[in-house]
C-alpha cells in the first residue's frame, strides 16, 4: 500500500471514529475502535492461513455451501447442520449437562446464519477440530473459533442480530484466554462492552455496536487486503487519538518523527556509526513503551527479521494492552516479543532481576520516552539497587536519571541507548549533577541532541535526546542544536524529513560543518564548565553581534560633526544675504 492509500485509509477510519463516538470520551472510544481493528486483523490472517492449511477440504466446504443454496433454503441448511451437531454429541459418552453445553456451544457457530467454509468444515469434522487447532497453533501461533471471526461478527452487525454483543464478549474472552499458547490475559480488560457509555441497556448497546462495526467494515471494504494495511491504520489512529488527548497522550505515544530519529540512531553501528546500519539486532528494549510505536519503528528500520527479540514494559494497563495488540498487528508472532505490565522504577519484572551475570539480560538497543520529570518515592533500599548504587538516586522531584540508569544497566557493551529527556537533566545540580558527572567521566555520554519546542502532544517544552554507550570510540561529546530546524504546525511543530536527515547524518558522521548547529566538545572543556551540558554553552544558534571598533566610530563622528559645522556656516551666509534669521 502506498503512502496516499495509507493516509486515505487512516482518514476514513478516523472519520468513522469521529462520527460514531458521539458524546463518548475520545480515549474511551479509542479502546473500542482499536480492539475491533485488532479483531479484524487477526481474523483476516487466520482465515488466509486456514484456506492454505485445509486446502481441498476448504474448497469442498465451499462447494457444499453452494449446493445447499441451490437445493434447500438457508433455514433448512442450518437445521441440517444443527442436527449433525446434536447427533455427534449424542454418540459421545458424556454427562448430560456437559453434552448440552457442548451442543449449545457449537450451535453458536450458526447464530449469524452465515455459512462459511470454516463453519461447515468444523461441523462436518467435529472429531478432527482439536487436531486441526493444534496444527494451527503450531503454524500461525493462534486459533480463533469460526463464529468469533470478523466476517461472522460483521454479519451479526449487518443483520442487527441480538447476538452480536454476546458473541463479541465471548470472542474477546476466547482470544484472551485460549487463542494463544502464551497468555494474553486481560488483553481487552479496558474494553467494557457492558458500559453505559455504549447504551443504557443490552439492546441499545447491541445496536450501537452494530453501527460501529458495520461502519468500520464498510470503511475497510474500499481498500485492498494487504498484510500491513491495519498495522498502518492502527498507528495512524493512535496518533490521531493522541492528538485529541492533549497531555494524556504522553502516556502512550511518541510522535513518529522523533521515534524515527531514535530508531535510525540505535540501528547504526555503535562503535563507528559512519559504517552504516547493523544487519541485525539481537534484541531491543523500551522500558516505557506506551503503545509500542517506538519499538515498531526500530523494527521497521531493519525489516521483519532484523530483531531477534523485542522487550517492552508499560505501567498503564490500557496502554499495555495497546502495545500487545500493536505488536501482533505489525506481524510479530507472540514468541517474538515480551511486553510486561509493571513499574520500571520498581523493577518488578522477573526477567530484569537476574543476579547471575551470565544470565543477565543485555540488549543491543535501548529506546525510551519516559514521563518527563516524574515525581517518585525512592526508598532507602534503592540506594543498594544494582541499577543505581554506583551513581546515586535521582531526586524525588524528577525521576529522569532513574529511568535513564534503569535502561542503561541492561545495555550491552556493543549497544546504543537513545532516550528523550527534559533539558533540566543537562544542567540541574545536586544528585543529578553527580549522576551526570559520573556518566561523563566514564565516557558513557556520546551525543546530546537539542530538539525544537512544541513537538509533543503532552508538553510544549523543548526536549533533548541523550545517546549513551558503554564502550564508545570517541573521547568527546557531540552536541547537536537542532532547536531552530522545524516546520511550524497548527497545534504542534513538525520535523520534516530533511530535518530528521540532518540530525541523523550529523550524528552518523560526527559532522562539525556548521558550528552553530553541531560541535564535538572535548572532556577538558566540559570539565571546565563543571560538567554542565547545557547545549547553548557549546553550540549556540544565536546571531553573533558585530564587533564595534570604538576608535573608528569616534573618528567617523568627528568627521560628521565637522561636516555639519561647515554646512551650517555656509547656510547662514545665504540667510544673512537674504536678511533672514540665522540658524543658532
Amino acid at each position: 500500500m502506498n503512502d496516499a492509500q495509507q493516509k486515505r485509509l487512516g482518514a476514513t477510519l478516523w472519520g468513522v471514529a469521529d462520527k460514531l463516538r458521539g458524546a463518548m470520551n475520545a480515549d474511551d472510544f479509542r479502546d473500542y475502535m482499536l480492539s475491533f481493528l485488532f479483531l479484524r486483523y487477526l481474523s483476516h490472517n487466520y482465515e488466509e492461513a486456514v484456506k492454505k492449511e485445509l486446502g481441498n477440504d476448504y474448497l469442498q466446504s465451499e462447494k457444499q455451501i453452494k449446493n445447499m443454496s441451490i437445493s434447500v433454503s438457508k433455514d433448512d441448511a442450518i437445521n441440517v447442520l444443527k442436527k449433525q451437531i446434536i447427533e455427534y454429541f449424542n454418540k459421545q459418552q458424556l454427562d448430560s449437562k456437559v453434552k448440552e453445553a457442548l451442543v449449545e456451544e457449537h450451535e453458536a457457530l450458526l447464530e449469524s446464519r452465515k455459512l462459511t467454509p470454516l463453519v461447515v468444515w468444523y461441523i462436518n469434522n467435529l472429531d478432527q477440530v482439536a487436531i486441526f487447532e493444534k496444527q494451527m497453533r503450531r503454524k500461525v501461533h493462534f486459533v480463533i473459533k469460526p463464529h468469533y471471526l470478523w466476517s461472522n461478527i460483521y454479519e451479526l452487525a449487518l443483520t442487527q442480530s441480538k447476538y452480536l454483543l454476546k458473541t463479541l464478549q465471548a470472542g474477546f474472552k476466547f482470544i484472551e484466554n485460549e487463542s494463544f499458547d502464551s497468555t494474553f490475559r486481560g488483553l481487552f480488560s479496558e474494553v467494557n462492552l457492558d458500559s453505559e457509555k455504549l447504551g443504557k441497556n443490552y439492546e441499545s448497546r447491541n445496536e450501537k455496536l452494530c453501527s460501529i462495526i458495520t461502519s468500520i467494515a464498510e470503511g475497510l471494504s474500499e481498500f485492498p487486503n494487504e498484510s500491513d494495511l491495519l498495522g498502518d491504520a492502527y498507528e495512524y489512529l493512535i496518533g490521531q487519538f493522541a492528538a485529541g488527548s492533549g497531555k494524556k497522550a504522553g502516556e502512550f505515544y511518541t510522535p513518529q518523527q522523533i521515534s524515527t530519529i531514535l530508531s535510525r540512531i540505535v540501528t547504526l553501528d555503535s562503535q563507528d556509526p559512519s559504517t552504516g546500519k547493523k544487519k541485525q539486532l539481537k534484541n531491543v528494549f523500551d522500558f516505557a513503551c506506551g503503545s509500542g510505536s517506538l519499538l515498531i519503528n526500530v523494527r521497521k528500520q531493519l525489516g521483519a527479521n532484523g530483531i531477534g527479540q523485542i522487550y517492552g514494559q508499560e505501567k498503564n494497563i490500557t496502554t499495555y494492552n495497546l502495545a500487545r495488540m500493536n505488536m501482533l498487528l505489525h506481524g510479530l508472532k507472540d514468541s517474538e516479543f515480551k511486553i510486561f505490565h509493571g513499574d520500571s522504577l520498581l523493577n518488578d519484572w522477573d526477567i530484569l532481576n537476574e543476579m547471575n551475570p551470565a544470565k543477565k539480560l543485555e540488549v543491543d538497543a535501548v529506546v525510551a520516552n519516559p514521563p518527563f520529570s516524574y515525581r517518585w518515592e525512592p526508598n532507602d533500599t534503592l540506594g543498594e539497587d544494582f541499577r543505581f548504587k554506583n551513581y546515586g538516586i535521582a531526586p524525588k522531584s524528577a525521576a529522569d536519571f532513574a529511568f535513564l540508569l534503569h535502561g542503561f544497566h541492561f545495555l550491552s557493551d556493543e549497544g546504543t541507548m537513545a532516550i528523550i529527556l527534559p533539558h533540566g537533566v543537562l544542567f540541574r545540580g545536586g544528585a543529578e549533577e553527580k549522576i551526570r558527572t559520573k556518566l561523563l567521566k566514564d565516557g558513557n555520554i556520546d551525543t546530546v541532541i537539542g530538539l525544537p519546542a512544541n513537538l509533543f502532544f503532552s508538553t510544549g517544552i523543548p526536549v533533548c535526546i541523550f545517546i549513551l554507550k558503554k564502550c564508545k570510540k570517541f573521547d568527546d561529546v557531540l552536541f547537536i542544536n537542532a532547536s531552530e530546524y522545524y516546520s511550524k504546525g497548527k497545534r504542534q511543530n513538525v520535523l520534516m524529513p530533511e530535518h530528521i536527515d540532518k540530525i541523523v547524518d550529523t550524528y552518523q558522521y560526527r559532522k562539525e560543518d556548521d558550528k552553530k548547529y553541531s560541535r564535538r566538545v572535548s572532556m577538558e572543556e566540559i570539565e571546565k564548565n563543571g560538567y554542565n551540558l547545557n547545549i547553548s554553552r557549546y553550540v549556540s544558534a544565536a546571531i553573533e553581534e558585530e564587533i564595534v571598533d570604538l576608535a573608528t566610530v569616534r573618528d567617523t563622528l568627528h568627521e560628521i560633526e565637522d561636516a555639519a559645522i561647515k554646512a551650517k556656516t555656509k547656510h547662514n551666509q545665504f540667510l544673512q544675504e537674504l536678511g533672514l534669521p540665522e540658524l543658532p
Side-chain angles (χ1 to χ4, degrees), residues 331-361:
L332 280 89
K333 296 183 176 66
D334 60 321
S335 58
E336 294 176 328
F337 67 90
K338 289 180 172 63
I339 307 292
F340 181 75
H341 177 226
D343 190 329
S344 295
L345 294 177
L346 297 179
N347 201 29
D348 50 5
W349 192 1
D350 290 344
I351 199 171
L352 301 181
N353 278 292
E354 179 56 62
M355 300 310 293
N356 184 342
K359 295 181 179 179
K360 173 193 167 186
L361 177 67

Side-chain angles (χ1 to χ4, degrees), residues 225-504:
N225 273 325
E226 295 182 3
S227 59
D228 61 349
L229 170 73
L230 287 183
D232 292 328
Y234 195 86
E235 282 289 316
Y236 178 90
L237 286 173
I238 287 176
Q240 290 297 105
F241 280 116
S245 296
K247 291 185 178 181
K248 290 179 69 177
E251 297 175 3
F252 63 86
Y253 189 72
T254 302
Q256 282 296 310
Q257 66 261 28
I258 302 171
S259 177
T260 298
I261 294 171
L262 270 66
S263 302
R264 286 176 61 180
I265 284 174
V266 300
T267 51
L268 291 169
D269 183 85
S270 61
Q271 292 300 297
D272 190 355
S274 65
T275 60
K277 280 185 182 180
K278 292 181 176 180
K279 292 182 179 178
Q280 190 175 35
L281 292 175
K282 182 177 68 176
N283 43 30
V284 60
F285 178 38
D286 182 348
F287 53 81
C289 70
S291 60
S293 59
L294 187 45
L295 289 168
I296 295 295
N297 207 319
V298 176
R299 183 173 181 263
K300 283 181 180 177
Q301 299 300 323
L302 295 174
N305 299 312
I307 300 175
Q309 187 74 34
I310 287 176
Y311 296 95
Q313 187 165 4
E314 176 53 42
K315 184 178 179 180
N316 181 291
I317 182 66
T318 304
T319 315
Y320 158 69
N321 287 331
L322 286 180
R324 293 193 290 172
M325 291 184 200
N326 207 4
M327 294 295 146
L328 294 169
L329 273 160
H330 281 86
L332 280 89
K333 296 183 176 66
D334 60 321
S335 58
E336 294 176 328
F337 67 90
K338 289 180 172 63
I339 307 292
F340 181 75
H341 177 226
D343 190 329
S344 295
L345 294 177
L346 297 179
N347 201 29
D348 50 5
W349 192 1
D350 290 344
I351 199 171
L352 301 181
N353 278 292
E354 179 56 62
M355 300 310 293
N356 184 342
K359 295 181 179 179
K360 173 193 167 186
L361 177 67
E362 292 188 337
V363 294
D364 288 345
V366 178
V367 289
N369 175 25
F372 302 149
S373 299
Y374 178 75
R375 296 189 68 86
W376 68 315
E377 296 294 334
N379 53 45
D380 295 338
T381 58
L382 282 177
E384 291 302 309
D385 189 287
F386 54 80
R387 299 167 294 164
F388 310 135
K389 68 179 180 180
N390 293 325
Y391 299 90
I393 302 293
K396 291 182 179 181
S397 58
D400 303 306
F401 271 114
F403 283 120
L404 183 151
L405 292 172
H406 174 79
F408 186 66
H409 179 80
F410 301 102
L411 185 67
S412 72
D413 288 346
E414 297 299 316
T416 303
M417 176 175 176
I419 180 172
I420 303 167
L421 296 169
H423 272 252
V425 299
L426 301 173
F427 53 79
R428 289 192 295 241
E432 291 182 295
E433 181 181 357
K434 292 177 182 178
I435 296 170
R436 184 173 63 244
T437 299
K438 178 164 176 56
L439 288 167
L440 284 164
K441 286 183 175 180
D442 290 349
N444 298 139
I445 298 177
D446 178 86
T447 302
V448 178
I449 303 169
L451 296 176
N454 203 31
L455 290 177
F456 288 81
F457 298 115
S458 53
T459 178
I461 65 170
V463 299
C464 63
I465 300 173
F466 259 36
I467 311 298
L468 299 105
K469 299 173 184 179
K470 288 194 173 173
C471 299
K472 66 172 188 169
K473 177 180 179 181
F474 306 102
D475 59 1
D476 52 32
V477 176
L478 175 65
F479 284 83
I480 300 174
N481 188 351
S483 60
E484 300 300 318
Y485 294 81
Y486 62 90
S487 177
K488 193 166 183 61
K490 290 182 180 178
R491 297 179 65 180
Q492 271 78 39
N493 293 328
V494 179
L495 295 179
M496 305 303 288
E498 59 268 25
H499 302 140
I500 295 171
D501 289 342
K502 185 176 177 67
I503 291 171
V504 176

Side-chain angles (χ1 to χ4, degrees), residues 78 81-82 85 107-113 115 119 123:
I78 289 172
L81 293 171
K82 282 184 176 180
I85 293 169
E107 284 184 340
L109 292 167
L110 300 165
E111 272 177 357
S112 72
R113 299 175 55 76
L115 297 181
V119 166
I123 295 172

Side-chain angles (χ1 to χ4, degrees), residues 85-107:
I85 293 169
I86 295 168
E87 287 178 352
Y88 174 79
F89 286 107
N90 278 339
K91 292 177 184 177
Q92 310 303 310
Q93 293 184 342
L94 298 167
D95 178 81
S96 59
K97 288 186 178 180
V98 173
K99 192 179 295 185
E100 186 180 329
L102 285 169
V103 168
E104 184 179 343
E105 177 187 326
H106 285 79
E107 284 184 340

Side-chain angles (χ1 to χ4, degrees), residues 71-279:
S71 60
V72 296
S73 68
K74 181 179 278 192
D75 286 343
D76 288 339
I78 289 172
N79 286 333
V80 167
L81 293 171
K82 282 184 176 180
K83 187 177 179 182
Q84 280 183 232
I85 293 169
I86 295 168
E87 287 178 352
Y88 174 79
F89 286 107
N90 278 339
K91 292 177 184 177
Q92 310 303 310
Q93 293 184 342
L94 298 167
D95 178 81
S96 59
K97 288 186 178 180
V98 173
K99 192 179 295 185
E100 186 180 329
L102 285 169
V103 168
E104 184 179 343
E105 177 187 326
H106 285 79
E107 284 184 340
L109 292 167
L110 300 165
E111 272 177 357
S112 72
R113 299 175 55 76
K114 180 180 175 66
L115 297 181
T116 66
L118 187 56
V119 166
V120 170
W121 186 88
Y122 259 63
I123 295 172
N124 287 342
N125 299 274
L126 289 169
D127 59 333
Q128 297 295 311
V129 167
I131 297 171
F132 168 73
E133 290 185 348
K134 184 177 181 180
Q135 184 77 348
M136 293 305 293
R137 287 184 195 283
R138 188 178 68 81
K139 292 196 171 182
V140 295
H141 289 247
F142 69 98
V143 164
I144 301 181
K145 297 287 187 184
H147 50 311
Y148 300 144
L149 291 167
W150 177 260
S151 56
N152 190 69
I153 296 295
Y154 173 45
E155 184 68 22
L156 290 170
L158 195 62
T159 57
Q160 297 280 303
S161 169
K162 64 180 181 180
Y163 296 113
L164 174 66
L165 176 51
K166 183 187 79 170
T167 306
L168 265 177
Q169 288 174 321
F172 280 175
K173 185 177 180 181
F174 180 84
I175 291 171
E176 284 185 322
N177 299 320
E178 298 181 56
S179 276
F180 297 85
D181 284 334
S182 56
T183 178
F184 274 78
R185 295 189 191 284
L187 190 63
F188 302 103
S189 61
E190 299 301 293
V191 184
N192 183 5
L193 295 174
D194 284 326
S195 171
E196 288 197 3
K197 293 173 183 177
L198 284 171
K200 291 185 177 181
N201 52 43
Y202 180 96
E203 289 73 23
S204 58
R205 290 193 288 273
N206 194 74
E207 184 180 341
K208 178 78 169 180
L209 289 169
C210 286
S211 177
I212 293 170
I213 289 166
T214 301
S215 296
I216 292 173
E218 289 172 353
L220 288 171
S221 67
E222 301 174 23
F223 299 90
N225 273 325
E226 295 182 3
S227 59
D228 61 349
L229 170 73
L230 287 183
D232 292 328
Y234 195 86
E235 282 289 316
Y236 178 90
L237 286 173
I238 287 176
Q240 290 297 105
F241 280 116
S245 296
K247 291 185 178 181
K248 290 179 69 177
E251 297 175 3
F252 63 86
Y253 189 72
T254 302
Q256 282 296 310
Q257 66 261 28
I258 302 171
S259 177
T260 298
I261 294 171
L262 270 66
S263 302
R264 286 176 61 180
I265 284 174
V266 300
T267 51
L268 291 169
D269 183 85
S270 61
Q271 292 300 297
D272 190 355
S274 65
T275 60
K277 280 185 182 180
K278 292 181 176 180
K279 292 182 179 178

